[in-house]
Amino acid sequence: MSDTFQKLALVPEGEHVVRLDHGEKHWYMNKRPDLHLFFWMENSLDYDGVILPGYFQVREWINEKTFRAGPKSKYFRMYQACFGPVDSDIFRTDDFRGIDLRALVKNIKRDSSKEALAPVNHYSKVDRILGKADED
């Protein structure tokens, strides 16, 4: 195993409190650069510290840390759910750093071709950020 290998975690679906670990530009199937955000779970006896990925399409990358996302994109809407209305379409990979977030976590049981995955290959991902954890 390489030093960068990280096993994909499987946690119960639903709403969880997470915190951004880091974000990065990542090529999706060598076709387009997407935004990958990695969140660690907080305040969970069984899953505290578990890292969950989140995958988001963006309009355009400005550099390795800055990108554009349109007002109909999932990222733009998640950002506004946390911070309120914005006047720009420019964002950074660390926009959510240092904030406890309410996240909707989904379990992945099929691959990109819609083929069923063996149970050993199921994993969880952050589907979207619902808002700040301290704003219920």
Side-chain angles (χ1 to χ4, degrees), residues 24-41:
E24 60 189 38
K25 178 180 179 179
H26 188 82
W27 286 89
Y28 174 74
M29 300 176 75
N30 292 326
K31 294 181 182 178
R32 67 172 188 262
D34 283 351
L35 172 62
H36 285 196
L37 297 177
F38 296 90
F39 301 91
W40 45 277
M41 294 183 63

Side-chain angles (χ1 to χ4, degrees), residues 6-123:
Q6 184 164 358
K7 181 180 174 186
L8 293 171
L10 183 63
V11 302
E13 285 188 316
E15 192 174 309
H16 293 278
V17 176
V18 299
R19 191 173 267 241
L20 180 66
D21 182 68
H22 70 283
E24 60 189 38
K25 178 180 179 179
H26 188 82
W27 286 89
Y28 174 74
M29 300 176 75
N30 292 326
K31 294 181 182 178
R32 67 172 188 262
D34 283 351
L35 172 62
H36 285 196
L37 297 177
F38 296 90
F39 301 91
W40 45 277
M41 294 183 63
E42 290 193 313
N43 306 323
S44 170
L45 294 175
D46 296 326
Y47 304 103
D48 194 48
V50 167
I51 300 285
L52 299 176
Y55 310 107
F56 306 97
Q57 290 183 26
V58 300
R59 180 186 301 155
E60 170 189 18
W61 283 89
I62 298 168
N63 58 43
E64 293 299 310
K65 298 286 183 186
T66 310
F67 58 92
R68 292 183 186 281
K72 293 182 181 178
S73 71
K74 189 183 279 190
Y75 189 90
F76 191 100
R77 291 174 175 167
M78 291 185 326
Y79 186 92
Q80 289 196 137
C82 287
F83 303 110
V86 297
D87 295 325
S88 175
D89 64 349
I90 298 174
F91 302 94
R92 293 190 45 79
T93 58
D94 61 357
D95 284 334
F96 293 106
R97 186 175 304 280
I99 303 166
D100 289 337
L101 303 162
R102 290 182 303 112
L104 179 61
V105 173
K106 290 193 174 179
N107 290 340
I108 305 304
K109 299 176 181 177
R110 296 187 175 275
D111 66 15
S112 61
S113 300
K114 308 291 185 224
E115 297 291 326
L117 294 170
V120 70
N121 293 316
H122 293 182
Y123 66 97

